Amino acid sequence: MKRIKKNKPVLVTGANGYIASWIVKYLLQKNLTVHACVRGIKNKNKTQHLLDLTKNNKGKLFFFETNLLKEGSYDNAMIGCELVFHTASPFKMKTQNPKKDFIEPALKGTKNVLKSATKTKTVKRVVLTSSCAAMYADAIDTTKTPNKTLTEDVWNTKATEKYQPYSYSKTIAEKEAWKISKKQNKWDLVVINPSLVFGPSINPKNNTSGTMEILEMMTNGSMKIGAPKSGVGVVDVRDVADAHIKAGFNPSAKGRYIASAHNTDFLEISRLLIPKYGNKIPLPKKAIPKWFLFLFGPIFDKVFSRRFVLNNVNIPFNADNSKIKKELNIKFKPIKETMEDSIESLIKSGLIKTKKQKNTYVR
Ligand code: NAP
């Protein structure tokens, strides 16, 4: 049972990120002091939105320039902190170099952050942002678990450096975190495993999360021919941030927590948006047939390899979110609200131009 004092600074790695910016916002709203770790401290595009969050509260924000790949990089930022949120880890849909782009920052970063936590006398708890990707590689895996539902007991055993490398990076990084945490008893580890995160972005124009790539694909017309009916879990970014805060401050929080609000698929997600945006944005309206993706997917886009198509398209995803609801009292937002708020945030920032403005997604 770790009780975190609210008068001590809280550290957030990758503080400018999509999910982390909401965590910072909620910490500042609680009038806490945040040690925000970012890569480029002078890059206003990545930091100004966080400074703006300090305007209407007594929370304090201090930036620290850090890098996941540099040993000792987090030592200074951690001084005096009891609670550490380790969110930083690259999430992208594609890469030419999985080792450099996903695996090294995920694994080395986790080792470095946790090494600093062990060295720093004050640290009592680390909350790690892992992913449901550390639990399964393909939707079909969720159907092969007991009760055909993903639970906190399940690990991803299929992802490799070559197949689903992002999922592999999250799996080995989380495993390493548990291994390191068990070698000491100064701080405890609590892990949040979100499914696919949607919802408004605090800094949409400079958001580099894979979430934005998916929203871009769904709204720029490239899925006009249809969306794959691939099973996924969806959760709101504000609920994920809330879960992190509760995992940090609730003394009895323990173990892994699946943060996934809805079992759905890409076509269903798009259909939720059609009543409000169908005339303005070229959203996919029908399912792209599995045989078509199987034949042509690998040619169009490496995301749709034949193995991926076989194991995901027309296959449901099921996750059990009862632990996080019961132990952390998370009340998930309705998926329609999450998806509409995602689109509104992109329209407001000018990233999605609606029909009158030309029908395009601008990057
Ligand atoms: P994001 O906005 O791209 O955040 C990633 C953060 O990691 C950024 O702040 C990035 O900094 C930082 N980072 C990357 N490489 C770094 C390095 N070498 N040194 C220091 N910082 C580095 O993506 P996100 O979606 O919020 O993801 C945050 C976490 O949530 C990740 O652990 C991800 O795996 C997890 N997650 C995301 C989702 C989702 O659907 N979005 C779902 C499940 C889990 P820069 O801005 O400088 O690049």
Side-chain angles (χ1 to χ4, degrees):
M1 296 277 268
K2 302 275 175 178
R3 205 165 285 278
I4 304 296
K5 290 193 229 49
K6 296 221 168 122
N7 61 350
K8 300 280 179 184
V10 175
L11 183 142
V12 182
T13 71
N16 63 295
Y18 171 46
I19 296 173
S21 296
W22 280 99
I23 298 176
V24 171
K25 180 177 169 128
Y26 292 161
L27 291 169
L28 292 171
Q29 281 175 349
K30 285 177 172 292
N31 299 332
L32 291 161
T33 296
V34 178
H35 287 189
C37 297
V38 293
R39 262 205 277 200
I41 211 166
K42 290 195 185 118
N43 184 349
K44 286 262 172 222
N45 288 338
K46 298 237 178 189
T47 52
Q48 188 57 46
H49 69 289
L50 296 177
L51 282 170
D52 293 344
L53 294 175
T54 59
K55 281 180 189 156
N56 296 317
N57 51 61
K58 289 188 188 137
K60 288 199 178 79
L61 184 72
F62 296 96
F63 285 113
F64 292 83
E65 188 149 308
T66 52
N67 196 307
L68 292 171
L69 301 173
K70 231 169 104 189
E71 214 185 308
S73 191
Y74 294 84
D75 287 359
N76 210 14
M78 226 174 267
I79 294 172
C81 297
E82 290 191 348
L83 178 59
V84 170
F85 291 104
H86 177 35
T87 80
S89 198
F91 170 41
K92 306 247 170 299
M93 295 307 292
K94 279 184 269 179
T95 172
Q96 300 296 326
N97 190 341
K99 197 168 193 163
K100 182 168 159 279
D101 293 343
F102 293 144
I103 295 161
E104 282 181 1
L107 190 59
K108 274 194 190 163
T110 299
K111 285 182 185 168
N112 283 338
V113 170
L114 296 186
K115 199 168 179 185
S116 300
T118 305
K119 269 198 287 188
T120 311
K121 281 192 189 120
T122 44
V123 175
K124 290 183 180 167
R125 173 166 289 177
V126 178
V127 178
L128 171 74
T129 317
S130 183
S131 172
C132 281
M135 299 172 154
Y136 81 107
D138 298 305
I140 202 162
D141 304 341
T142 72
T143 68
K144 290 181 179 161
T145 53
N147 298 325
K148 299 190 173 165
T149 305
L150 205 64
T151 66
E152 281 82 1
D153 298 330
V154 181
W155 280 93
N156 185 339
T157 55
K158 290 208 189 130
T160 64
E161 197 174 314
K162 287 208 172 100
Y163 184 66
Q164 311 274 23
Y166 164 72
S167 304
Y168 181 65
S169 77
K170 296 305 287 180
T171 309
I172 55 172
E174 192 194 326
K175 278 197 171 157
E176 185 66 24
W178 283 115
K179 199 169 118 194
I180 298 171
S181 83
K182 282 176 184 136
K183 283 190 186 145
Q184 55 78 54
N185 51 19
K186 200 175 73 61
W187 49 268
D188 66 4
L189 180 68
V190 182
V191 175
I192 303 294
N193 300 78
S195 56
L196 190 50
V197 181
F198 286 115
S201 177
I202 296 180
N203 186 23
K205 282 196 171 160
N206 300 293
N207 185 339
T208 54
S209 166
T211 292
M212 297 296 272
E213 291 175 76
I214 295 170
L215 282 170
E216 184 175 351
M217 278 198 290
M218 288 182 69
T219 56
N220 70 0
S222 57
M223 278 190 177
K224 235 178 145 182
I225 131 169
K229 248 180 107 46
S230 321
V232 280
V234 165
V235 61
D236 193 291
V237 67
R238 295 159 290 192
D239 294 336
V240 173
D242 183 32
H244 278 75
I245 305 284
K246 287 179 172 152
F249 289 100
N250 184 335
S252 54
K254 201 173 177 355
R256 307 171 97 188
Y257 288 97
I258 289 178
S260 183
H262 311 280
N263 300 321
T264 181
D265 64 64
F266 286 107
L267 182 63
E268 199 172 87
I269 295 171
S270 174
R271 283 188 171 153
L272 287 167
L273 292 167
I274 286 171
K276 195 164 174 191
Y277 302 103
N279 292 331
K280 301 180 196 155
I281 297 169
L283 291 158
K285 295 192 169 80
K286 52 183 189 268
I288 189 160
K290 189 165 183 164
W291 64 264
F292 182 88
L293 272 173
F294 187 78
L295 284 181
F296 301 114
I299 302 167
F300 287 140
D301 203 326
K302 282 196 173 143
V303 173
F304 298 120
S305 70
R306 290 208 164 115
R307 181 172 170 192
F308 178 87
V309 173
L310 273 180
N311 293 324
N312 290 278
V313 178
N314 298 347
I315 295 172
F317 166 92
N318 279 309
D320 176 358
N321 60 13
S322 56
K323 183 178 180 232
I324 202 165
K325 287 203 274 195
K326 188 167 164 240
E327 294 182 14
L328 299 185
N329 194 24
I330 299 298
K331 293 184 174 52
F332 289 112
K333 293 195 192 314
I335 185 168
K336 199 161 189 280
E337 182 181 333
T338 300
M339 293 317 302
E340 288 188 355
D341 288 355
S342 310
I343 301 295
E344 284 304 318
S345 134
L346 297 179
I347 293 176
K348 226 166 109 190
S349 63
L351 283 172
I352 290 182
K353 302 262 184 231
T354 55
K355 217 164 197 171
K356 274 189 206 144
Q357 296 165 291
K358 228 174 141 205
N359 232 354
T360 45
Y361 187 104
V362 188
R363 270 266 184 180

